[in-house]
Amino acid sequence: MLWRHFGKEDAMKVFVSSEHEELPAMVHALGHQISPLAYADVYLFTSRGADQNFDEATRLGIPIIGFRQAGAAGNGQFAEFSSVPDLLVKVVTALRNVPAKREPLVWQPLSRVRSHSGLLMSQEQWSRVTLALHVIQVNALKYTAAQVRDLPDRMVRAIRESGLVADADELVQRIEYYETTVSCPSALAEPGGFGGARMAVNADMAAWEILPTGGRAHIAFIDEDSATAILTRLVGLIGRLTTNTEQVVPVVELKPLKNLGLGDPATMFALENFPRPHQWNHDSITSNGDEALTAPALATNAPEVARELALQLLDRLRRTENWRRY
């Protein structure tokens, strides 16, 4: 079997975690390098080799290519292979679709940003404590009619391939002239998890998660780590959906604040008696929203972007004058 050899400008550093000895040899044959995970451009695994390094690759924001044997138990978001030759062919195709280099993460200050009010969720979607990411295009863009028709399927495919919902979770599409929304009703019925995503015809996007709640007061808690984890998933999703290389402004919104507490959710939910949350008078709060980065950086640098946004959001929460501790 003949494989196309990549030139130096296409070569990637690949970390391979697999029981199939053919994969490293094929990676070399394609002109790529076998690399430690910390320096890799892509993480390639088959299911039995995934557990040890998957979380670290996710934390580092390294693109992940995963496969599992047909019929074997495992995460349904990864492609199946029926034989070693089938696996090799699919790996070659997958490697060709991975960007060879990460987009540099450079924030550019802006003096004026378009409003993100057009992407606000419905009142029903805000009925639970919700953390939303809005991605606003700096320049006025517009999808073509053909791209608009393709949005619902693209969104559903990206959501499922990102592992944000279980295979059995229903995704509901709502298609309107100016925007397309895909929502997950189960996140509202039992608070916690991916809530939905929205894409407008002007290429603005939004995605949100519902915070898990506990106690009779339906209190939700958030801290830097939990906010970063949620935002990493949302930034990564929108990064998968972005098709342009223009500058974008990510803005994080948290709402409503009346049943929100600052603290580790796992620790708070373990307490028999919940502490009373901070008494917020603000209905919502947002991150700064005055810096832009290039759209491809959302996919290649999701953890770093998410951490910065989480720090901005938590700083604003702590600086809000209308709160007190109990």
Side-chain angles (χ1 to χ4, degrees), residues 107-152:
W107 295 86
Q108 298 290 337
L110 295 175
S111 59
R112 186 172 181 271
V113 180
R114 292 192 298 108
S115 170
H116 61 279
S117 59
L119 284 171
L120 291 177
M121 276 60 78
S122 68
Q123 190 60 42
E124 178 188 14
Q125 290 157 340
W126 282 122
S127 63
R128 304 288 189 178
V129 181
T130 303
L131 183 59
L133 170 68
H134 306 272
V135 175
I136 308 161
Q137 305 292 327
V138 173
N139 299 316
L141 302 174
K142 190 172 182 180
Y143 286 120
T144 66
Q147 288 174 320
V148 171
R149 287 194 298 271
D150 186 49
L151 286 182

Side-chain angles (χ1 to χ4, degrees), residues 57-63 102-103 105 107 133 227-240 293 295-310:
T58 302
R59 186 187 71 81
L60 293 171
I62 297 172
R102 296 193 195 183
E103 180 74 14
L105 181 59
W107 295 86
L133 170 68
T228 299
I230 292 173
L231 289 172
T232 297
R233 294 190 288 269
L234 298 181
V235 171
L237 172 64
I238 291 185
R240 292 174 70 103
L293 43 76
L298 297 173
T300 59
N301 300 82
E304 295 92 333
V305 174
R307 176 67 66 178
E308 174 61 27
L309 294 173

